Amino acid sequence: MARALNDEQETACVSTGRRPGPETVGLLVDEAPRRFQSNRGGTNSQVCFAPAAYRVGCSLRRTAQRGLLRAAAVLGLASAILGLPSPSSAQQESTVLFRNVRIFDGKGGSLSAPSSVLVRNKIIEKISAGEMTASAQIIDGGGRVLMPGLIDAHWHAMLVRPTPMAVLAGDVGYNNLLAASEATATLMRGFTTVRDMGGPSFGLKQAIDEDLVAGPRIYPSGAMITITSGHGDFRQLSDLPRTIGGMLSRMERIGGSMVADSPDEVRVRAREQLMQGASQVKLTAGGGVASPFSPLDVSTFTEPELRAAVEAADNWGTYVATHAYTPVAIQRSIAAGVRCIEHGHLMDEASARLMAEKGIWLSTQPFLDLSAAAALGPAEQDKMRQVVTGTDRVYALVKKYGIKTAFGTDILFSKALADTQGAMLAALTRWYTPAEALTMATSANAELLSLSGARNPYPGRLGVVEEGALADLLLIDGNPLDNIRVVEDPAKNFVVIMKNGRIYKNTLAH
């Protein structure tokens, strides 16, 4: 064992006095133990380490090694065991030319004349109604429809496949692999972007962005922030009382939700999500369906608590969205500066009018039956029944007052339900034309994503087929403006799926 150092030798110093950057962190992980051994006898080195730093360095090093092994396991298992298409299987051509396609641009109500679309280096470089030539991979659309990739504005990437019990008590490594499998399936359904509204999706997002896993772009919220007994508080009564500053619950430790019962706690929890890379912050301002101790009619956060999160997000150049069904929860959120309401199925005329006047976004879902609560108990299904009864009314109010509205699905705990993601989009034709529904799931959703401002993880235009936009594209058999139900069967009808200029599916090549 190393001999204990004296007080002078135990003083760790960095002679530059600068805040350590990534290179210093790397030094701590890889070099600390060795540097400590070489510097034991003196303090002449630029970076000196106390025994505590040595122990931290060893710990970081072991953690990093374990992380690399886990990453390797994820990469290998995801491809070999789960059968995921590895990102390397996505075609790597940097230039692709679509010929003879009719374009739905994500905004209009009709298709273009037969056109050509040139994609170069992740961007739609040129659109022409005439013939176009380029040194590129050629895809002859044969008159098919080319449209923007779909966007789901209310998704939970980590919570789609596992059961509620598996989320709370299951193996984290397995749940991550399950989420990776679902991410690939989500992309293969044509959803090239999702706005994640609660859950530990930062690592999954990183794996997708680094091409370790094929999946959609993720706009993460991180842990949803709730109160004691609020929606997202999945503790049992035996876990009470809560000690502020005490041990975190399982859901908190894995980053699914965080309990905060004062403005100061809310501020800390919001900043923690932003620190990890949240593009927006999510709070639960009222009761929810899936939480066992959260009645649907209850209002949770006080206005000062909500405002604390809004101030934290605003300082980071982004916004707060709140889970809110009832008029009280909606109006209190707006008073605190919240810019997007999630759900809103129980809103009244006054709330709808206020949202329209203030330009507040509504991110809602076409819930028409109890299937979304199939994995939950009788009490939760009863709450879902209340939500379903409000669906027609919320869309009527949206149309009456012209509320800015986004489309999402909020699918939880069921692979079978996830497979109906496109069918939920098609269900919007109960209230909208196919063109209006598709516009909501593309350019309108992209407009909501842009509220993240400086925290936008994917700068550029999404949700449109326009020159200069990011190249997230679908080539479809059938005309979705005539028959939107083609999106219900993406395996059959989506012949090309492109995200960020890369082709992840191309049945025309076979």
Side-chain angles (χ1 to χ4, degrees), residues 325 343 345 365-369 372 384 387-389 391-392 395 408-411 424 431:
Y325 284 112
H343 311 307
H345 290 74
Q365 303 79 37
F367 294 137
L368 293 172
D369 56 42
M384 188 67 198
V387 170
V388 168
T389 59
T391 299
D392 277 323
Y395 282 111
T409 58
D410 195 21
I411 291 169
M424 287 188 71
W431 309 280

Side-chain angles (χ1 to χ4, degrees), residues 82-140:
L82 296 176
L84 300 180
S86 66
S88 61
S89 71
Q91 297 181 33
Q92 299 293 317
E93 291 84 354
S94 60
T95 306
V96 177
L97 177 59
F98 292 91
R99 285 179 173 165
N100 190 19
V101 294
R102 295 175 298 156
I103 299 169
F104 168 66
D105 63 4
K107 294 181 175 180
S110 60
L111 300 179
S112 72
S115 302
S116 298
V117 177
L118 180 65
V119 173
R120 192 191 309 273
N121 297 328
K122 308 175 184 179
I123 302 295
I124 299 172
E125 183 177 282
K126 187 176 181 181
I127 300 173
S128 173
E131 286 291 326
M132 193 188 304
T133 58
S135 177
Q137 177 190 3
I138 307 297
I139 297 178
D140 186 345

Side-chain angles (χ1 to χ4, degrees), residues 157-202:
M158 301 299 295
L159 307 178
V160 174
R161 294 277 186 93
T163 65
M165 183 57 68
V167 171
L168 294 172
D171 181 79
V172 171
Y174 175 79
N175 286 344
N176 281 323
L177 289 171
L178 205 58
S181 177
E182 174 53 43
T184 301
T186 302
L187 179 61
M188 291 301 100
R189 290 192 293 270
F191 286 85
T192 54
T193 302
V194 297
R195 177 170 166 261
D196 193 281
M197 297 312 293
S201 62
F202 296 118

Side-chain angles (χ1 to χ4, degrees), residues 142-495:
R144 294 178 179 89
V145 173
L146 187 72
M147 65 170 286
L150 299 170
I151 301 171
D152 192 320
H154 194 116
W155 191 245
H156 295 277
M158 301 299 295
L159 307 178
V160 174
R161 294 277 186 93
T163 65
M165 183 57 68
V167 171
L168 294 172
D171 181 79
V172 171
Y174 175 79
N175 286 344
N176 281 323
L177 289 171
L178 205 58
S181 177
E182 174 53 43
T184 301
T186 302
L187 179 61
M188 291 301 100
R189 290 192 293 270
F191 286 85
T192 54
T193 302
V194 297
R195 177 170 166 261
D196 193 281
M197 297 312 293
S201 62
F202 296 118
L204 177 62
K205 175 188 180 298
Q206 182 179 354
I208 292 170
D209 292 346
E210 293 179 359
D211 293 330
L212 299 179
V213 174
R217 304 175 190 268
I218 296 179
Y219 281 73
S221 302
M224 55 181 170
I225 303 171
T226 186
I227 67 162
T228 293
S229 194
H231 179 54
D233 182 0
F234 292 100
R235 295 174 299 161
Q236 299 303 305
L237 295 178
S238 57
D239 296 324
L240 303 181
R242 172 177 181 249
T243 301
I244 295 178
M247 181 180 294
L248 297 176
S249 68
R250 163 75 171 179
M251 198 66 176
E252 291 173 302
R253 291 197 303 274
I254 65 175
S257 61
M258 298 299 297
V259 177
D261 288 309
S262 72
D264 285 341
E265 275 200 297
V266 170
R267 193 173 290 110
V268 169
R269 298 314 184 197
R271 288 170 175 168
E272 286 172 345
Q273 308 320 307
L274 293 164
M275 181 179 180
Q276 294 175 83
S279 51
Q280 63 282 323
V281 175
K282 160 81 174 293
L283 278 74
T284 60
V289 170
S291 299
F293 302 109
S294 178
L296 209 59
D297 62 296
V298 167
S299 300
T300 54
F301 286 107
T302 64
E303 189 175 321
E305 288 170 334
L306 292 168
R307 191 175 295 114
V310 169
E311 290 172 352
D314 187 62
N315 287 340
W316 279 65
T318 186
Y319 70 101
V320 169
T322 57
H323 162 108
Y325 284 112
T326 66
V328 173
I330 292 169
Q331 293 181 33
R332 186 179 296 170
S333 295
I334 295 172
V338 168
R339 299 180 67 186
C340 184
I341 300 297
E342 306 296 316
H343 311 307
H345 290 74
L346 305 181
M347 75 165 63
D348 59 9
E349 292 265 352
S351 301
R353 189 182 306 110
L354 180 64
M355 290 184 69
E357 290 172 354
K358 298 286 187 179
I360 305 300
W361 275 89
L362 175 68
S363 171
T364 194
Q365 303 79 37
F367 294 137
L368 293 172
D369 56 42
L370 299 183
S371 60
L376 304 175
E380 288 73 34
Q381 291 188 21
D382 184 62
K383 288 191 284 185
M384 188 67 198
R385 192 172 289 105
Q386 296 177 56
V387 170
V388 168
T389 59
T391 299
D392 277 323
R393 178 172 172 78
V394 74
Y395 282 111
L397 290 171
V398 160
K399 300 193 78 172
K400 179 177 180 179
Y401 290 100
I403 298 171
K404 293 188 291 186
T405 306
F407 161 77
T409 58
D410 195 21
I411 291 169
L412 295 168
F413 312 133
S414 172
K415 180 182 183 300
L417 279 179
D419 291 339
T420 69
Q421 196 174 11
M424 287 188 71
L425 171 57
L428 287 178
T429 54
R430 182 180 177 111
W431 309 280
Y432 299 97
T433 67
E436 290 171 334
L438 291 169
T439 296
M440 190 183 298
T442 53
S443 63
N445 276 2
E447 186 181 348
L448 171 59
L449 296 177
S450 71
L451 291 185
S452 57
R455 303 282 75 78
N456 187 340
Y458 309 104
R461 278 180 289 148
L462 289 169
V464 292
V465 182
E466 294 176 350
E467 292 181 357
L470 297 173
D472 291 5
L473 299 168
L474 307 176
L475 187 63
I476 300 179
D477 260 338
N479 182 355
L481 300 188
D482 288 339
N483 177 20
I484 196 173
R485 296 193 65 180
V486 297
V487 304
E488 296 181 12
D489 191 354
K492 175 184 176 183
N493 298 319
F494 293 2
V495 297

